[in-house]
Amino acid sequence: MENFTGVKHTSFYAIGLSYKKADAEMRGKFSLNEKTRIDLLKQAKEEHIESLFVISTCNRTEIYGFAEHPFQLIKLLCDNSLGTVEDFQKIAYVYKNKEAITHLFRVGTGLDSQILGDFEIISQIKIGFTESKKIGLGNSYIERLVNAVIQASKRVKNETQISSGATSVSFASVQYIMNTITDIGSKNILLFGTGKIGRNTCENLVKHTKNDHIVLINRTKEKAEKIAGKFNLLVKDYTDLQLEIQKSDVLVVATGAQNPTIDAKILNLKKPLLILDLSIPKNVNENVTDIEGVSLVHLDYLSQVTDETIEKRKAHIPAAEKIINEIVEEFINWSKARKFAPTIHSLKEKLADIKNSELNYQRKKMDNFNEEQAEIISNRIIQKITTHFANHLKHENTMVDESIEWIEKVFRLNP
């Protein structure tokens, strides 16, 4: 009697945590830098994990890969971060097979992002897969999956408006400036204050206005110089503030002062001035609007613009989901066929062995044995049997792993 050794089947999992349930402190515990990501991949290789990749951003840390049990992946994450299994159980999630695939598509197309329609994550997915492939953990399944997610991301971005409009105050500020001031590339822009929102606004100004007339002023000059060096901008002393305002066409105020630092008294203007106050509390006195040619826009107005943008984006979710569902279905069909193809091939070989054994037996027993007809008939029967099995495995309600295991046990196959 033949010995049959059961093949251990792995499943595709997505395990991780995100901004939805994990606060910044907890996300920090589980975050992975480039070194710890590579360490995790090397450990996975040593522990004979078939294939996986990792992404880690300020909003999420996730592992996508094959395992016999999701704890294999959870252990990898906890071994290479400051997070514990107990922490993970409180705030994390585990998705399996189709749910895991769909989750990756939602992440890659910006539907699961903290800011709806944010496509920055797709570059992290590409980096994660590239790192895995270099170490030999990026198999053909995951490569095709990542490429399908990239395709979905491009289609959602190009065929819907889910990423349209400004979703951050710093970007909304720059859009407002560009829509309000003609020929912005040749205008003088002064940024007063270089905290987080000031830095982000500065980066967006450089990126989108193509303006090289941007001056930075901060009470602590060294902080301004650090940012200016990154973008090759001009820094002036705090004592030059009044003089620089007079030269400016646009003034962006993003200081952390508790009282207004800009008011009508210090404005001695010779031309129109647009002022954007991005500070909390407000750092520009309302009395500046008493001066002819001065326009003042507050943070609360720009925040309202970003809130409206998010609401408008929500209307495009169904169109994005339709694209995702279409590409997910294509991928699932491909992965099912890929998964059961070796089993069907082995089944054909097994049935061919049975056929050959039986034909040999009948050839010896029958004097007028018609070998040609016997071959044709038996081959057609084999084809019909294997087609029935293949159609069963292709069916959307079929549990493919369990069915493959059953076929392999019944026919004692070892693909």
Side-chain angles (χ1 to χ4, degrees), residues 218-256:
N218 195 63
R219 286 182 185 272
T220 308
K221 191 176 182 182
E222 289 77 14
K223 288 183 179 178
E225 286 173 335
K226 191 174 180 181
I227 296 166
K230 183 179 177 183
F231 300 109
N232 197 27
L233 304 176
L234 190 63
V235 175
K236 293 285 186 174
D237 291 323
Y238 178 64
T239 52
D240 295 325
L241 179 62
Q242 190 170 1
L243 178 63
E244 290 302 320
I245 290 174
Q246 289 174 13
K247 297 178 185 176
S248 300
D249 299 288
V250 178
L251 168 63
V252 179
V253 181
T255 69

Side-chain angles (χ1 to χ4, degrees), residues 97 332 336 339-340 388-404 407:
N97 293 335
I332 294 291
K336 274 188 175 183
K339 185 175 280 190
F340 66 67
H388 272 287
F389 278 108
N391 287 338
H392 164 73
L393 292 166
K394 285 178 185 176
H395 196 275
E396 60 180 17
N397 294 326
T398 297
M399 298 179 76
V400 178
D401 286 339
E402 288 80 353
S403 293
I404 287 173
I407 294 166

Side-chain angles (χ1 to χ4, degrees), residues 55 169 319 386:
I55 56 173
V169 168
T386 53

